[in-house]
């Protein structure tokens, strides 16, 4: 393999390894395969362009055009032609829209974000641009050391955004890729000091020592960079360390806002799994109706729902009294919880309202007193955790909630705030649905009945999001999953001046026997919480076929003097709830949650989310195949040319006996084939030499054996006879056999890398581009001549007539 080929491969490898630090930015990492494919195609395009007779500055320009084509095919499929394989007229507009949505997602989501198309476009495009920069600097202009700058920028941005999710492994891989790139160029620079002979010649010991010494220094530096931070003491502030407060510190802690629960929830809901996340026991007969709440999002800014408070405190054993609860002397529910190792990133799941919580290491947890959210101080705190929770057994009735007084003014102001640009349809629909309700409770149940009716469909294939646009689309299409139902009902409740927020967590687990319940990935859920004076925050369930309706909403069918627009008992829709099944895989709990009929759909949805099955990857694959075909054109052309040169057997002498006579053209073709074969194997032609001198040079540099060297000499003599001897000389030697013998000798001494290059990327194929350029120039010249003759034929008579009239006028 030539130095340039090595640099091309190692540049692509260094970019791919450095880009791995971006994988923690999204909830899934399948998008990295797309990025790797883009890096490979850009490297292949650069290799092909550098072999063409073009200026060096055209190579990165061509690579950027290839990158744009890949992005159009991969992310603008809706504007493409022929099933998404060829970019169409509207592809650029679609790509711009996807990019704009990615910029919006950057502002909306925390790390890790969902793998939306806009975010994947930004990441893949960034990696592609870095790949072009590294390839241009390291390969096209041969400055590998400077190629570390774009690699460093890629690693710094990725690792800085990942934060605590970053790993020393990403640094090690990125640094290793950069060192390999430097080693490849270093070997090339050392070899330029003089010819590098294989064997044990003393003359090479100095160069080898320099190369080995440089490699050892680079490896030792990388090992030291990885091990030194682990051996140094850790400071909580300054140049080393994050600078955040320790476990016992005061003030806010970053974990309170570093986790976006809705982002994680959307990812898990759209790709459900049966993996057990936690198990628990509760000493109450209503254990199968109790939700496990991890937190509550109380601020809505029009883009998303989020946790407004960052003023967390140390986790006390006894939690503060719940907001709005008048009577704290309620019966208690005791629960034992155990988290599996599969639940890595989550706030602490607990029944609401929890009164006490006991965890093994209290310093690993903080409390947000406002929303009673218990947040971890590090990502490892929740894995394998066992803890005890005491919760209040709050059981209001429907009539009690109907007769509560209005919420305090400060509660109403804080929890009924909506953005000024909230779509008008939210308020219009909320008022229409609750037109006949006379109190906040009836308005809340009217909203629940509206969402659980047959008008809405539970569908995890729609796009996520909780902002203004997502709510408007949800109310228009009436399709979505729990995040859409919860966020939309909370926004509509706020419009009706009912204090509301969005809670996240898990629906009740499956009974395993012995009062033990198991929670898996299918039980991720979001629901709205509405405030009622004297009782605090109460759960409502607007998502059809998911979760369990609380008892106080089931009792809402008791006659009251307040008329309602719809029956207050949630109707059961055959369209929303899958038909029961007798399969042994579907128990009563799954039928209650509507999972039985959706298993195939959930699997299909998860499969459709895979990038490898998307229409974009088909288009990208077609583009890659097209590029590969173009790169293989030199090989096909070279093979066909060799067969044509060696296929002619000459013409027989009169009488049909004796060796065949070869024409001058066949002799020169045989010589050209020998020269091109040597060129392909690393011995470029020297036009200043005679055929005999060129043959001697080929034999010496290739170290040919005696038979191959003799065949080379015979080819040279036959060529000189054609070029310099008097006309009429006849050549009867079997030159095709001599070419094959000489070629076999060249292949035997070239090595595997040289033989591979001679087949896939033969340097002599540059003649193809020369011929194409000459043909284009000839065609352009001929077209110009024809145009000139046609113009002369048209304008000639006019000029002659004008000239004759001029002479007549003078006379």
């Amino acid at each position: 393999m030539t130095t340039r080929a090595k640099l091309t491969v190692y540049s692509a490898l260094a970019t791919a390894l450095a880009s791995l630090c971006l994988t923690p930015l999204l909830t899934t990492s399948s998008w990295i395969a797309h990025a790797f494919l883009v890096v490979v195609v850009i490297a292949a395009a650069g290799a092909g362009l550098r072999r063409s007779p073009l200026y060096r500055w055209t190579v990165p320009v061509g690579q950027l055009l290839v990158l744009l084509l890949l992005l159009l095919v991969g992310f603008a499929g809706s504007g493409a032609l022929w099933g998404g394989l060829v970019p169409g007229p509207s592809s650029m507009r679609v790509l711009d829209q996807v990019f704009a949505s990615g910029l919006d997602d950057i502002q909306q989501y925390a790390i890790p974000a969902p793998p939306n198309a806009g975010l994947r476009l930004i990441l893949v495009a960034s990696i592609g641009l870095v790949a072009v920069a590294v390839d241009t600097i390291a390969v096209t202009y041969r400055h590998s050391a400077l190629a570390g700058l774009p690699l460093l920028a890629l690693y710094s941005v990725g690792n800085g955004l990942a934060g605590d999710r970053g790993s020393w492994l990403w640094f090690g891989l990125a640094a290793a890729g950069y060192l390999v790139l430097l080693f490849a160029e270093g070997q090339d620079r050392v070899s330029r000091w003089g010819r590098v002979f294989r064997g044990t010649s003393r003359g090479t010991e100095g160069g080898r020592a320099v190369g080995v010494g440089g490699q050892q220094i680079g490896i030792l530096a990388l090992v030291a960079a990885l091990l030194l931070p682990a051996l140094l003491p850790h400071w909580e502030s300054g140049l080393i360390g994050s600078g955040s407060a320790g476990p016992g510190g005061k003030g806010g802690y970053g974990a309170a806002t570093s986790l976006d629960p809705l982002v994680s929830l959307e990812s898990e809901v759209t790709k459900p799994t049966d993996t057990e996340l936690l198990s628990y026991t509760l000493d109450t007969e209503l254990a199968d109706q109790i939700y496990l709440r991890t937190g509550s999002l109380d601020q809505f800014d029009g883009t998303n729902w989020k946790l407004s408070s960052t003023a967390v405190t140390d986790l006390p054993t006894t939690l503060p009294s719940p907001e709005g609860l008048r009577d704290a002397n309620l019966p208690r529910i005791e629960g034992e919880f155990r988290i599996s190792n599969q639940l890595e990133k989550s706030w602490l799941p607990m029944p609401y309202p929890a009164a006490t919580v006991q965890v093994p290491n209290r310093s690993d947890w903080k409390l947000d007193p406002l929303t009673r959210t218990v947040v971890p101080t590090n990502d490892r705190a929740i894995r394998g955790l066992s803890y005890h929770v005491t919760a209040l057994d709050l059981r209001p009735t429907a009539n009690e909630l109907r007769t509560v007084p209005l919420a305090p003014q400060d509660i109403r102001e804080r929890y009924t705030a909506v953005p000024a640009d909230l779509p008008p349809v939210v308020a219009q629909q909320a008022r229409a649905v609750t037109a006949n309700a006379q109190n906040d409770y009836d308005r809340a149940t009217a909203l629940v009945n509206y969402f659980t009716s047959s008008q809405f469909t539970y569908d995890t294939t729609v796009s996520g999001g909780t902002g203004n646009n997502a709510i408007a689309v949800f109310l228009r299409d009436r399709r979505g999953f729990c995040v859409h139902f919860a966020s939309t009902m909370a926004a509509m409740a706020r419009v009706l001046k009912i204090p509301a927020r969005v809670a996240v967590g898990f629906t009740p687990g499956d009974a395993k026997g012995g009062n033990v319940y198991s929670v898996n990935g299918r039980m991720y859920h979001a629901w709205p919480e509405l405030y009622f004076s004297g009782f605090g925050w109460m759960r409502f369930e607007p998502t059809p076929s998911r979760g369990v309706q609380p008892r106080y909403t089931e009792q809402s069918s008791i006659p009251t003097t307040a008329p309602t627009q719809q029956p207050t008992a949630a109707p059961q829709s055959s369209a929303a709830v899958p038909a029961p099944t007798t399969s042994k895989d579907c128990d009563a709990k799954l039928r209650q949650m509507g999972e039985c009929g959706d298993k195939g759909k959930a699997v299909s949805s998860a499969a459709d989310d895979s990038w490898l099955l998307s229409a974009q990857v088909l288009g990208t694959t077609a583009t890659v195949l097209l590029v590969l075909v173009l790169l293989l054109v030199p090989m096909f052309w070279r093979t066909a040319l060799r067969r044509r040169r060696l296929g002619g057997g000459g013409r027989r002498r009169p009488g049909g006996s004796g060796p065949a006579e070869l024409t001058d053209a066949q002799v020169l073709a045989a010589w050209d084939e020998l020269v091109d074969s040597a060129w392909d194997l690393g011995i470029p032609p020297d036009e200043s030499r005679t055929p005999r001198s060129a043959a001697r040079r080929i034999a010496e540099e290739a170290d040919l054996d005696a038979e191959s060297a003799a065949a080379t000499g015979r080819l040279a003599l036959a060529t000189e006879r054609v070029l310099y001897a008097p006309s009429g000389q006849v050549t009867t030697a079997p030159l095709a056999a001599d070419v094959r013998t000489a070629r076999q000798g060249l292949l035997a001494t070239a090595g595997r890398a040289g033989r591979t290059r001679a087949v896939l990327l033969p340097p002599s194929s540059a003649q193809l581009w020369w011929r194409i350029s000459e043909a284009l120039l000839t065609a352009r010249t001929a077209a110009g001549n024809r145009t000139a003759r046609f113009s002369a034929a048209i304008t000639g008579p006019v000029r002659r007539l004008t000239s004759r009239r001029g002479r007549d006028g003078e006379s």
Side-chain angles (χ1 to χ4, degrees), residues 267-274 460 521-522 595 602-603 606:
S267 176
E268 299 296 339
V269 169
T270 55
K271 293 183 294 184
T273 65
D274 293 321
T460 59
R522 294 183 179 274
E595 292 288 353
V603 173

Side-chain angles (χ1 to χ4, degrees), residues 364-377:
D364 285 343
W365 299 89
K366 299 289 181 179
L367 173 69
D368 173 29
L370 186 63
T371 61
R372 304 176 71 81
T373 301
V374 179
V375 298
T377 60

Side-chain angles (χ1 to χ4, degrees), residues 285-485:
E285 72 278 7
L286 300 180
D288 59 347
Q289 300 182 23
I290 295 179
Y291 282 33
L292 301 182
R293 177 181 177 276
T294 57
S296 188
L297 310 175
D298 59 331
Q299 182 178 356
F300 181 50
D301 58 6
T303 302
N304 59 357
W305 288 84
K306 59 186 178 181
L307 183 65
S308 64
S309 173
T310 58
V312 295
T313 63
D314 293 336
L315 178 63
T317 302
T318 301
L319 303 183
S321 179
E323 186 177 31
L325 183 61
R326 179 176 59 248
D327 183 11
N329 296 320
L330 296 172
R332 304 293 178 101
I333 300 174
E334 303 290 335
E336 297 289 340
F337 296 80
R338 180 174 181 82
I339 307 294
S340 73
N341 289 330
Q342 303 301 320
L343 185 61
E344 298 181 355
K345 299 175 181 178
S346 174
W347 296 338
L348 195 64
M350 299 184 298
Y352 186 85
T356 66
V357 57
Q358 299 175 9
V359 292
N361 191 354
R362 196 166 296 276
S363 62
D364 285 343
W365 299 89
K366 299 289 181 179
L367 173 69
D368 173 29
L370 186 63
T371 61
R372 304 176 71 81
T373 301
V374 179
V375 298
T377 60
N378 59 76
D379 291 339
R380 298 179 299 275
I382 193 135
R383 298 183 61 182
L385 178 69
S386 297
Y387 58 101
H388 179 87
V389 176
T390 301
L392 301 179
D393 192 2
L394 182 61
R395 303 186 187 184
T397 65
N399 284 334
E400 287 177 332
L401 296 178
R402 280 192 180 97
T403 58
V404 298
L406 289 178
Q409 185 65 25
D410 60 331
I411 296 294
R412 294 173 67 87
E413 290 180 354
R414 178 186 304 170
Y415 297 110
T416 60
V418 293
D421 58 346
L422 186 69
V425 66
V426 179
Q428 295 170 2
Q429 195 65 34
R431 295 188 179 98
V433 170
T434 61
N436 297 328
Q438 302 299 318
N439 54 71
D440 286 349
Y441 173 79
D442 287 337
R443 295 185 186 96
T445 54
L447 291 176
V448 169
N449 296 335
Y450 168 65
F451 287 116
T452 56
S453 68
S454 58
Q455 301 179 54
F456 286 84
T457 302
Y458 185 87
D459 187 357
T460 59
T461 63
V462 301
S463 301
T466 61
N468 291 340
N469 293 336
I471 291 176
V473 172
F474 173 67
L475 289 176
R476 181 196 67 195
D477 299 340
R478 301 189 178 185
R479 305 183 69 89
F481 48 92
C482 61
V483 171
H484 302 94
F485 286 93

Side-chain angles (χ1 to χ4, degrees), residues 165-256:
R165 297 172 181 81
S167 172
W168 60 268
L169 179 62
W170 307 139
F171 170 77
L173 293 175
Y178 180 53
L179 286 179
V180 170
L181 183 60
L182 290 180
F183 292 162
E185 188 186 46
Q187 290 177 351
D188 177 61
R189 291 183 182 275
V190 170
S191 66
R192 294 181 186 180
W193 294 353
R195 183 177 177 185
V196 179
F197 296 91
R198 307 299 178 186
T200 58
S201 173
R202 294 182 180 181
T204 63
E205 293 179 358
R208 290 180 179 176
V210 172
V212 174
Q215 294 177 8
Q216 291 176 348
I217 293 174
I219 295 173
L220 288 176
L222 177 58
V223 172
L226 293 175
L227 295 181
L228 202 57
L231 301 176
L232 291 176
H234 178 69
W235 286 273
E236 295 297 338
S237 61
L239 295 177
I240 301 179
S242 63
S244 60
K250 299 180 180 180
Y253 178 75

Side-chain angles (χ1 to χ4, degrees), residues 102-155:
L103 296 179
D104 294 338
D105 290 343
I106 290 177
Q107 299 177 354
Q108 177 177 354
Y109 293 110
I111 303 298
N116 295 338
L119 295 177
R120 288 188 284 111
L121 168 62
I122 292 175
L123 291 176
V124 172
S126 300
I127 294 174
L129 291 175
V130 171
V132 173
V134 173
D135 187 87
T136 300
I137 297 172
V139 189
T140 304
Y141 289 97
R142 296 293 186 95
H143 294 292
S144 296
L146 294 179
L149 294 177
L151 292 174
L152 178 61
L154 178 63
Y155 170 77

